[in-house]
Amino acid sequence: MRLDTTYTVNTPEGIALTLSPASPIPRLLAWLLDLLLRSGISLALLLLLASLGKLGLGIAMILIFLLEWFYPVYFELRHRGQTPGKKVLNLYVTHTDASPITPAGSLVRNLLRVVDFLPFLYGFGLISMMLNRRFQRLGDLAANTVVLHCHAPHVPEIPLDAASIRPDVRLTLAEQQAILLFAQRSATLAPARLEELARMTGALVPPHQNATQWLQGIAVWLGGGSKA
């Protein structure tokens, strides 16, 4: 059983997302895996460039410096917030509102690792993680980022009991996507909220019809259901 806590953020659509911050233990294991990989790459660089003498050693040291500082930045930005170590441990970095990490956020959180490392062995970073419920080290607090456990998102299916309804108007691709998303998330919203959102479609729903069921019917039709 994990000792992690959870917190909730609300999306613009009114969906409540429950996020699970990673505690120090899995983060330490991910860091150790990344450290092992970086060390292997660094050793390979030294061996390959040592034959060039002092010039080769100088080039190797520059490359190792860049590897140490920009290895996590590269992977966080190019691989959805996951370094190889985090991928193995099923973790990823994101902003606290669950939005994808930005270049500025990744740079800030990683450049401040030097502060987290003080006075030794990530002492300040560990103290910071233990003092806040999202387990954020000082770099995370400065960048407004958090390390989360990956959970396969559960996307509810379109209700099977909804009758297929062909809309009277031509729908754009964006409108079709919005209706399908509405139907898929129906199980996560209260009936009153569903009806409120469905009524925002205006003339798409006839005045005396149940707006929620009508949109769900259109979603069934868009998903390949038989025509009404």
PDB file of all heavy atoms in Angstrom, residues 158-167 212-222 225-228:
ATOM      1  N   ILE A 158     -19.972   5.142 -24.095  1.00  0.00           N
ATOM      2  CA  ILE A 158     -21.225   5.811 -24.396  1.00  0.00           C
ATOM      3  C   ILE A 158     -22.364   4.914 -23.924  1.00  0.00           C
ATOM      4  O   ILE A 158     -22.347   3.701 -24.176  1.00  0.00           O
ATOM      5  CB  ILE A 158     -21.340   6.081 -25.913  1.00  0.00           C
ATOM      6  CG1 ILE A 158     -20.221   7.035 -26.347  1.00  0.00           C
ATOM      7  CG2 ILE A 158     -22.702   6.657 -26.273  1.00  0.00           C
ATOM      8  CD1 ILE A 158     -20.144   7.221 -27.845  1.00  0.00           C
ATOM      9  N   PRO A 159     -23.346   5.446 -23.211  1.00  0.00           N
ATOM     10  CA  PRO A 159     -24.450   4.624 -22.687  1.00  0.00           C
ATOM     11  C   PRO A 159     -25.080   3.758 -23.775  1.00  0.00           C
ATOM     12  O   PRO A 159     -25.503   4.246 -24.822  1.00  0.00           O
ATOM     13  CB  PRO A 159     -25.437   5.668 -22.162  1.00  0.00           C
ATOM     14  CG  PRO A 159     -24.585   6.853 -21.833  1.00  0.00           C
ATOM     15  CD  PRO A 159     -23.485   6.864 -22.852  1.00  0.00           C
ATOM     16  N   LEU A 160     -25.156   2.455 -23.537  1.00  0.00           N
ATOM     17  CA  LEU A 160     -25.675   1.531 -24.542  1.00  0.00           C
ATOM     18  C   LEU A 160     -27.187   1.639 -24.713  1.00  0.00           C
ATOM     19  O   LEU A 160     -27.730   1.238 -25.730  1.00  0.00           O
ATOM     20  CB  LEU A 160     -25.289   0.095 -24.154  1.00  0.00           C
ATOM     21  CG  LEU A 160     -23.783  -0.196 -24.115  1.00  0.00           C
ATOM     22  CD1 LEU A 160     -23.541  -1.630 -23.666  1.00  0.00           C
ATOM     23  CD2 LEU A 160     -23.154   0.034 -25.485  1.00  0.00           C
ATOM     24  N   ASP A 161     -27.882   2.171 -23.677  1.00  0.00           N
ATOM     25  CA  ASP A 161     -29.332   2.223 -23.759  1.00  0.00           C
ATOM     26  C   ASP A 161     -29.831   3.489 -24.453  1.00  0.00           C
ATOM     27  O   ASP A 161     -31.036   3.696 -24.576  1.00  0.00           O
ATOM     28  CB  ASP A 161     -29.945   2.124 -22.359  1.00  0.00           C
ATOM     29  CG  ASP A 161     -29.424   3.213 -21.424  1.00  0.00           C
ATOM     30  OD1 ASP A 161     -28.449   3.893 -21.795  1.00  0.00           O
ATOM     31  OD2 ASP A 161     -30.012   3.387 -20.335  1.00  0.00           O
ATOM     32  N   ALA A 162     -28.913   4.343 -24.903  1.00  0.00           N
ATOM     33  CA  ALA A 162     -29.333   5.563 -25.587  1.00  0.00           C
ATOM     34  C   ALA A 162     -29.721   5.229 -27.027  1.00  0.00           C
ATOM     35  O   ALA A 162     -29.007   4.509 -27.732  1.00  0.00           O
ATOM     36  CB  ALA A 162     -28.212   6.597 -25.569  1.00  0.00           C
ATOM     37  N   ALA A 163     -30.879   5.737 -27.465  1.00  0.00           N
ATOM     38  CA  ALA A 163     -31.333   5.496 -28.840  1.00  0.00           C
ATOM     39  C   ALA A 163     -30.533   6.356 -29.802  1.00  0.00           C
ATOM     40  O   ALA A 163     -30.239   7.516 -29.534  1.00  0.00           O
ATOM     41  CB  ALA A 163     -32.824   5.813 -28.949  1.00  0.00           C
ATOM     42  N   SER A 164     -30.145   5.770 -30.921  1.00  0.00           N
ATOM     43  CA  SER A 164     -29.371   6.491 -31.924  1.00  0.00           C
ATOM     44  C   SER A 164     -30.213   7.594 -32.554  1.00  0.00           C
ATOM     45  O   SER A 164     -31.350   7.373 -32.964  1.00  0.00           O
ATOM     46  CB  SER A 164     -28.893   5.514 -33.007  1.00  0.00           C
ATOM     47  OG  SER A 164     -28.214   6.210 -34.024  1.00  0.00           O
ATOM     48  N   ILE A 165     -29.658   8.787 -32.624  1.00  0.00           N
ATOM     49  CA  ILE A 165     -30.373   9.949 -33.175  1.00  0.00           C
ATOM     50  C   ILE A 165     -29.474  10.647 -34.186  1.00  0.00           C
ATOM     51  O   ILE A 165     -28.345  11.029 -33.861  1.00  0.00           O
ATOM     52  CB  ILE A 165     -30.769  10.948 -32.069  1.00  0.00           C
ATOM     53  CG1 ILE A 165     -31.706  10.291 -31.056  1.00  0.00           C
ATOM     54  CG2 ILE A 165     -31.392  12.211 -32.670  1.00  0.00           C
ATOM     55  CD1 ILE A 165     -32.038  11.169 -29.870  1.00  0.00           C
ATOM     56  N   ARG A 166     -29.974  10.790 -35.403  1.00  0.00           N
ATOM     57  CA  ARG A 166     -29.222  11.522 -36.421  1.00  0.00           C
ATOM     58  C   ARG A 166     -29.548  13.009 -36.301  1.00  0.00           C
ATOM     59  O   ARG A 166     -30.734  13.390 -36.339  1.00  0.00           O
ATOM     60  CB  ARG A 166     -29.582  11.025 -37.812  1.00  0.00           C
ATOM     61  CG  ARG A 166     -28.823  11.746 -38.913  1.00  0.00           C
ATOM     62  CD  ARG A 166     -29.056  11.119 -40.257  1.00  0.00           C
ATOM     63  NE  ARG A 166     -28.296  11.776 -41.291  1.00  0.00           N
ATOM     64  CZ  ARG A 166     -28.195  11.334 -42.542  1.00  0.00           C
ATOM     65  NH1 ARG A 166     -28.840  10.222 -42.899  1.00  0.00           N
ATOM     66  NH2 ARG A 166     -27.454  11.978 -43.424  1.00  0.00           N
ATOM     67  N   PRO A 167     -28.552  13.874 -36.156  1.00  0.00           N
ATOM     68  CA  PRO A 167     -28.829  15.310 -35.992  1.00  0.00           C
ATOM     69  C   PRO A 167     -29.410  15.917 -37.256  1.00  0.00           C
ATOM     70  O   PRO A 167     -29.144  15.458 -38.369  1.00  0.00           O
ATOM     71  CB  PRO A 167     -27.453  15.899 -35.670  1.00  0.00           C
ATOM     72  CG  PRO A 167     -26.482  14.932 -36.264  1.00  0.00           C
ATOM     73  CD  PRO A 167     -27.109  13.575 -36.129  1.00  0.00           C
ATOM     74  N   THR A 212     -29.882  15.768 -22.293  1.00  0.00           N
ATOM     75  CA  THR A 212     -28.817  14.798 -22.053  1.00  0.00           C
ATOM     76  C   THR A 212     -29.004  13.559 -22.924  1.00  0.00           C
ATOM     77  O   THR A 212     -28.072  13.115 -23.608  1.00  0.00           O
ATOM     78  CB  THR A 212     -28.780  14.388 -20.564  1.00  0.00           C
ATOM     79  OG1 THR A 212     -28.536  15.543 -19.764  1.00  0.00           O
ATOM     80  CG2 THR A 212     -27.708  13.349 -20.308  1.00  0.00           C
ATOM     81  N   GLN A 213     -30.214  13.009 -22.916  1.00  0.00           N
ATOM     82  CA  GLN A 213     -30.475  11.813 -23.708  1.00  0.00           C
ATOM     83  C   GLN A 213     -30.354  12.094 -25.204  1.00  0.00           C
ATOM     84  O   GLN A 213     -29.917  11.234 -25.975  1.00  0.00           O
ATOM     85  CB  GLN A 213     -31.863  11.264 -23.372  1.00  0.00           C
ATOM     86  CG  GLN A 213     -31.985  10.721 -21.949  1.00  0.00           C
ATOM     87  CD  GLN A 213     -33.380  10.192 -21.662  1.00  0.00           C
ATOM     88  OE1 GLN A 213     -34.270  10.265 -22.495  1.00  0.00           O
ATOM     89  NE2 GLN A 213     -33.568   9.671 -20.452  1.00  0.00           N
ATOM     90  N   TRP A 214     -30.740  13.301 -25.603  1.00  0.00           N
ATOM     91  CA  TRP A 214     -30.662  13.651 -27.013  1.00  0.00           C
ATOM     92  C   TRP A 214     -29.211  13.676 -27.490  1.00  0.00           C
ATOM     93  O   TRP A 214     -28.874  13.098 -28.530  1.00  0.00           O
ATOM     94  CB  TRP A 214     -31.322  15.006 -27.247  1.00  0.00           C
ATOM     95  CG  TRP A 214     -31.556  15.317 -28.705  1.00  0.00           C
ATOM     96  CD1 TRP A 214     -30.721  15.999 -29.549  1.00  0.00           C
ATOM     97  CD2 TRP A 214     -32.688  14.941 -29.489  1.00  0.00           C
ATOM     98  NE1 TRP A 214     -31.263  16.079 -30.802  1.00  0.00           N
ATOM     99  CE2 TRP A 214     -32.483  15.446 -30.803  1.00  0.00           C
ATOM    100  CE3 TRP A 214     -33.877  14.255 -29.215  1.00  0.00           C
ATOM    101  CZ2 TRP A 214     -33.405  15.270 -31.819  1.00  0.00           C
ATOM    102  CZ3 TRP A 214     -34.790  14.086 -30.242  1.00  0.00           C
ATOM    103  CH2 TRP A 214     -34.554  14.584 -31.520  1.00  0.00           C
ATOM    104  N   LEU A 215     -28.336  14.308 -26.710  1.00  0.00           N
ATOM    105  CA  LEU A 215     -26.927  14.362 -27.092  1.00  0.00           C
ATOM    106  C   LEU A 215     -26.282  12.981 -27.031  1.00  0.00           C
ATOM    107  O   LEU A 215     -25.444  12.642 -27.865  1.00  0.00           O
ATOM    108  CB  LEU A 215     -26.162  15.327 -26.180  1.00  0.00           C
ATOM    109  CG  LEU A 215     -26.372  16.828 -26.433  1.00  0.00           C
ATOM    110  CD1 LEU A 215     -25.374  17.637 -25.619  1.00  0.00           C
ATOM    111  CD2 LEU A 215     -26.234  17.176 -27.907  1.00  0.00           C
ATOM    112  N   GLN A 216     -26.678  12.190 -26.040  1.00  0.00           N
ATOM    113  CA  GLN A 216     -26.160  10.826 -25.971  1.00  0.00           C
ATOM    114  C   GLN A 216     -26.600  10.023 -27.190  1.00  0.00           C
ATOM    115  O   GLN A 216     -25.841   9.204 -27.715  1.00  0.00           O
ATOM    116  CB  GLN A 216     -26.618  10.151 -24.679  1.00  0.00           C
ATOM    117  CG  GLN A 216     -25.948  10.707 -23.432  1.00  0.00           C
ATOM    118  CD  GLN A 216     -26.493  10.093 -22.163  1.00  0.00           C
ATOM    119  OE1 GLN A 216     -27.548   9.442 -22.171  1.00  0.00           O
ATOM    120  NE2 GLN A 216     -25.801  10.296 -21.058  1.00  0.00           N
ATOM    121  N   GLY A 217     -27.827  10.257 -27.663  1.00  0.00           N
ATOM    122  CA  GLY A 217     -28.308   9.582 -28.865  1.00  0.00           C
ATOM    123  C   GLY A 217     -27.506   9.975 -30.090  1.00  0.00           C
ATOM    124  O   GLY A 217     -27.173   9.136 -30.931  1.00  0.00           O
ATOM    125  N   ILE A 218     -27.173  11.269 -30.191  1.00  0.00           N
ATOM    126  CA  ILE A 218     -26.338  11.723 -31.308  1.00  0.00           C
ATOM    127  C   ILE A 218     -24.949  11.090 -31.219  1.00  0.00           C
ATOM    128  O   ILE A 218     -24.364  10.691 -32.227  1.00  0.00           O
ATOM    129  CB  ILE A 218     -26.242  13.262 -31.310  1.00  0.00           C
ATOM    130  CG1 ILE A 218     -27.611  13.886 -31.601  1.00  0.00           C
ATOM    131  CG2 ILE A 218     -25.217  13.742 -32.339  1.00  0.00           C
ATOM    132  CD1 ILE A 218     -27.637  15.394 -31.551  1.00  0.00           C
ATOM    133  N   ALA A 219     -24.449  10.958 -29.980  1.00  0.00           N
ATOM    134  CA  ALA A 219     -23.133  10.334 -29.781  1.00  0.00           C
ATOM    135  C   ALA A 219     -23.164   8.876 -30.230  1.00  0.00           C
ATOM    136  O   ALA A 219     -22.195   8.387 -30.834  1.00  0.00           O
ATOM    137  CB  ALA A 219     -22.719  10.435 -28.315  1.00  0.00           C
ATOM    138  N   VAL A 220     -24.250   8.173 -29.961  1.00  0.00           N
ATOM    139  CA  VAL A 220     -24.382   6.799 -30.409  1.00  0.00           C
ATOM    140  C   VAL A 220     -24.370   6.742 -31.928  1.00  0.00           C
ATOM    141  O   VAL A 220     -23.720   5.882 -32.538  1.00  0.00           O
ATOM    142  CB  VAL A 220     -25.682   6.152 -29.852  1.00  0.00           C
ATOM    143  CG1 VAL A 220     -25.941   4.813 -30.505  1.00  0.00           C
ATOM    144  CG2 VAL A 220     -25.596   6.002 -28.337  1.00  0.00           C
ATOM    145  N   TRP A 221     -25.083   7.658 -32.560  1.00  0.00           N
ATOM    146  CA  TRP A 221     -25.106   7.715 -34.026  1.00  0.00           C
ATOM    147  C   TRP A 221     -23.707   8.022 -34.577  1.00  0.00           C
ATOM    148  O   TRP A 221     -23.267   7.376 -35.526  1.00  0.00           O
ATOM    149  CB  TRP A 221     -26.104   8.779 -34.486  1.00  0.00           C
ATOM    150  CG  TRP A 221     -26.194   8.906 -35.983  1.00  0.00           C
ATOM    151  CD1 TRP A 221     -26.898   8.119 -36.847  1.00  0.00           C
ATOM    152  CD2 TRP A 221     -25.530   9.903 -36.795  1.00  0.00           C
ATOM    153  NE1 TRP A 221     -26.716   8.540 -38.142  1.00  0.00           N
ATOM    154  CE2 TRP A 221     -25.899   9.631 -38.139  1.00  0.00           C
ATOM    155  CE3 TRP A 221     -24.702  10.970 -36.511  1.00  0.00           C
ATOM    156  CZ2 TRP A 221     -25.432  10.407 -39.195  1.00  0.00           C
ATOM    157  CZ3 TRP A 221     -24.231  11.739 -37.563  1.00  0.00           C
ATOM    158  CH2 TRP A 221     -24.599  11.458 -38.899  1.00  0.00           C
ATOM    159  N   LEU A 222     -23.006   8.970 -33.946  1.00  0.00           N
ATOM    160  CA  LEU A 222     -21.657   9.307 -34.396  1.00  0.00           C
ATOM    161  C   LEU A 222     -20.691   8.132 -34.214  1.00  0.00           C
ATOM    162  O   LEU A 222     -19.749   7.949 -34.978  1.00  0.00           O
ATOM    163  CB  LEU A 222     -21.128  10.511 -33.611  1.00  0.00           C
ATOM    164  CG  LEU A 222     -21.785  11.859 -33.903  1.00  0.00           C
ATOM    165  CD1 LEU A 222     -21.295  12.927 -32.920  1.00  0.00           C
ATOM    166  CD2 LEU A 222     -21.497  12.307 -35.336  1.00  0.00           C
ATOM    167  N   GLY A 225     -23.766   3.818 -34.438  1.00  0.00           N
ATOM    168  CA  GLY A 225     -25.050   3.181 -34.163  1.00  0.00           C
ATOM    169  C   GLY A 225     -25.995   3.333 -35.333  1.00  0.00           C
ATOM    170  O   GLY A 225     -25.806   4.169 -36.211  1.00  0.00           O
ATOM    171  N   SER A 226     -27.027   2.522 -35.331  1.00  0.00           N
ATOM    172  CA  SER A 226     -27.998   2.581 -36.440  1.00  0.00           C
ATOM    173  C   SER A 226     -28.774   3.877 -36.394  1.00  0.00           C
ATOM    174  O   SER A 226     -28.978   4.449 -35.329  1.00  0.00           O
ATOM    175  CB  SER A 226     -28.949   1.394 -36.343  1.00  0.00           C
ATOM    176  OG  SER A 226     -29.640   1.414 -35.106  1.00  0.00           O
ATOM    177  N   LYS A 227     -29.247   4.346 -37.524  1.00  0.00           N
ATOM    178  CA  LYS A 227     -30.013   5.589 -37.585  1.00  0.00           C
ATOM    179  C   LYS A 227     -31.384   5.396 -36.981  1.00  0.00           C
ATOM    180  O   LYS A 227     -32.016   4.368 -37.094  1.00  0.00           O
ATOM    181  CB  LYS A 227     -30.142   6.025 -39.059  1.00  0.00           C
ATOM    182  CG  LYS A 227     -28.794   6.326 -39.723  1.00  0.00           C
ATOM    183  CD  LYS A 227     -28.992   6.754 -41.147  1.00  0.00           C
ATOM    184  CE  LYS A 227     -27.645   7.017 -41.829  1.00  0.00           C
ATOM    185  NZ  LYS A 227     -27.778   7.440 -43.222  1.00  0.00           N
ATOM    186  N   ALA A 228     -31.838   6.490 -36.339  1.00  0.00           N
ATOM    187  CA  ALA A 228     -33.164   6.442 -35.709  1.00  0.00           C
ATOM    188  C   ALA A 228     -34.234   6.485 -36.778  1.00  0.00           C
ATOM    189  O   ALA A 228     -34.032   7.042 -37.843  1.00  0.00           O
ATOM    190  CB  ALA A 228     -33.320   7.615 -34.758  1.00  0.00           C
TER     191      ALA A 228
END
